[in-house]
Amino acid sequence: MYIRKHIHWRVIWAYSWKDVLIFLGYDTLLAVLHGPLQVRWLDIPWQLISILGVAVSFYVGFKNSSSYNRFSEARQLWGGIVNRSRSWAMLVLGNTDPLGPALTPAQVAAQQRLIYRHLAWVNALRLHLRRQPERWEAEVAPFLGPDESVYLRAVANRPAQLLLRQTHDLRQAAGLYTELQQRTLTEDLRELTNLQGGCERIKNTPFPRQYAFSSAAFVWLFIALLPLGLLAEFEKLGHGQYWMTIPFSVLVSWVFVTMELVGHISEDPFENRMNDVPMTALCRTIEIDLRQMLGEQQVPVPVQPVEDVLL
């Protein structure tokens, strides 16, 4: 996620320099045909172009709004994961039977196992959404036992299997929680399952192709026709003024293609790009909070942005 208040011009240029060169070459070619070569049959009435531009802008606005809704929902789901993770840790560590005997070392180890497996789950979900199974050993396995890690590498949906194992471990935690407390913890696991399902729904349901393709096609159609409508209009300002079509057409074309690009890069918020949900940073935040709840002193530092991008 890009965190700087104002986007640096280098970022904008990196995304659009190829398109700008295409606009510049195309508009220059049409200006040469219109002026020195006197090819005037290419001119189109400006009124038609303006009507098309208004229609395209409405369509692109609709696509951008829909794309942003996907990003917003994804961020809300991960906000829910952060909150539920803290709730889960507080219930695991604090909801022991106050009237019962002091916790045994085995029960303390069971609590730690439940917390660490949850840390494995949030990181496994991140890798699952980003399609990065190769990073399992480095980023998930350290939170699990060797046998459990080997078993989970062979399953299709690793986060779901981790939640299932949490449920089994919770039921086997005899004497650690009352029946009501176990039921509350199980409800938290159910809510985490719902949050995972919401993330998978966004990931596995691509933005409707008919909208995405039509938006790009309409924008490029407008860009192709734009200079044909501007040439005659600038010619009315005086002889040779048609050359002004080049900078103005390039500028308007750049605005439209940038608007279309903004919607395109927001379609899938789990691709680990500069504008996506910063799941790595959120997972690290959860890890720091939960390990400190366990009383650990040696915890990792928060993820820092690299070139104003928080992953």
Side-chain angles (χ1 to χ4, degrees):
M1 182 175 66
Y2 194 80
I3 62 172
R4 188 172 176 174
K5 183 176 181 180
H6 302 290
I7 299 179
H8 198 280
W9 66 267
R10 287 178 298 182
V11 176
I12 301 174
W13 182 246
Y15 273 98
S16 59
W17 69 270
K18 293 181 181 179
D19 294 327
V20 170
L21 291 181
I22 293 174
F23 305 151
L24 185 61
Y26 176 71
D27 296 338
T28 301
L29 173 63
L30 291 180
V32 171
L33 291 174
H34 176 88
L37 299 182
Q38 297 293 309
V39 181
R40 301 300 175 87
W41 58 268
L42 291 174
D43 296 353
I44 296 176
W46 168 246
Q47 291 78 2
L48 298 178
I49 305 301
S50 62
I51 293 173
L52 178 61
V54 171
V56 171
S57 64
F58 275 112
Y59 196 92
V60 173
F62 165 75
K63 176 193 172 183
N64 286 5
S65 177
S66 301
S67 297
Y68 177 76
N69 287 340
R70 287 168 63 88
F71 170 83
S72 178
E73 182 183 1
R75 184 59 186 87
Q76 290 176 27
L77 287 168
W78 268 89
I81 289 173
V82 172
N83 293 337
R84 281 288 172 175
S85 296
R86 293 167 178 159
S87 171
W88 166 261
M90 287 188 292
L91 291 172
V92 168
L93 298 175
N95 268 14
T96 54
D97 189 352
L99 301 179
L103 297 181
T104 66
Q107 290 174 326
V108 173
Q111 287 181 323
Q112 185 185 55
R113 186 166 58 250
L114 289 170
I115 298 296
Y116 268 58
R117 189 181 287 113
H118 182 79
L119 294 177
W121 175 77
V122 294
N123 285 281
L125 178 60
R126 168 172 55 87
L127 300 184
H128 179 65
L129 295 173
R130 288 178 174 171
R131 304 288 193 261
Q132 295 175 325
E134 71 281 356
R135 305 181 69 169
W136 173 270
E137 287 298 326
E139 302 185 24
V140 181
F143 297 111
L144 302 170
D147 294 340
E148 187 174 13
S149 179
V150 170
Y151 167 77
L152 290 169
R153 281 203 303 267
V155 301
N157 194 318
R158 296 168 183 176
Q161 290 292 326
L162 281 166
L163 291 178
L164 175 62
R165 285 179 165 257
Q166 289 283 65
T167 304
H168 290 165
D169 246 22
L170 192 60
R171 290 178 178 175
Q172 294 171 3
L176 192 56
Y177 304 107
T178 66
E179 182 179 349
L180 178 60
Q181 290 168 346
Q182 281 192 334
R183 188 178 302 116
T184 303
L185 287 165
T186 302
E187 286 298 322
D188 255 21
L189 290 176
R190 183 177 301 173
E191 180 60 27
L192 291 171
T193 303
N194 293 335
L195 291 169
Q196 176 181 336
C199 293
E200 290 176 333
R201 171 174 48 79
I202 295 175
K203 179 66 179 180
N204 298 327
T205 306
F207 192 81
R209 291 300 89 194
Q210 63 270 27
Y211 294 121
F213 174 79
S214 299
S215 176
F218 293 160
V219 166
W220 282 97
L221 175 63
F222 172 74
I223 289 172
L225 297 177
L226 176 63
L228 303 180
L230 291 177
L231 286 168
E233 293 299 315
F234 278 108
E235 183 74 17
K236 296 176 182 178
L237 301 179
H239 181 68
Q241 293 297 317
Y242 58 84
W243 291 109
M244 295 297 295
T245 297
I246 298 175
F248 281 95
S249 182
V250 169
L251 177 61
V252 175
S253 299
W254 174 78
V255 169
F256 269 81
V257 81
T258 300
M259 289 194 306
E260 203 283 327
L261 180 62
V262 167
H264 174 71
I265 62 179
S266 301
E267 292 175 8
D268 190 344
F270 297 133
E271 286 296 305
N272 201 24
R273 295 172 300 199
M274 64 175 293
N275 294 296
D276 292 342
V277 175
M279 293 188 290
T280 302
L282 294 173
C283 287
R284 180 64 59 82
T285 298
I286 294 172
E287 180 181 353
I288 293 172
D289 289 346
L290 269 58
R291 292 180 68 173
Q292 287 181 339
M293 289 181 184
L294 282 171
E296 298 183 11
Q297 300 298 321
Q298 300 296 325
V299 297
V301 298
V303 175
Q304 298 299 317
V306 178
E307 296 182 354
D308 301 317
V309 176
L310 189 64
L311 297 177

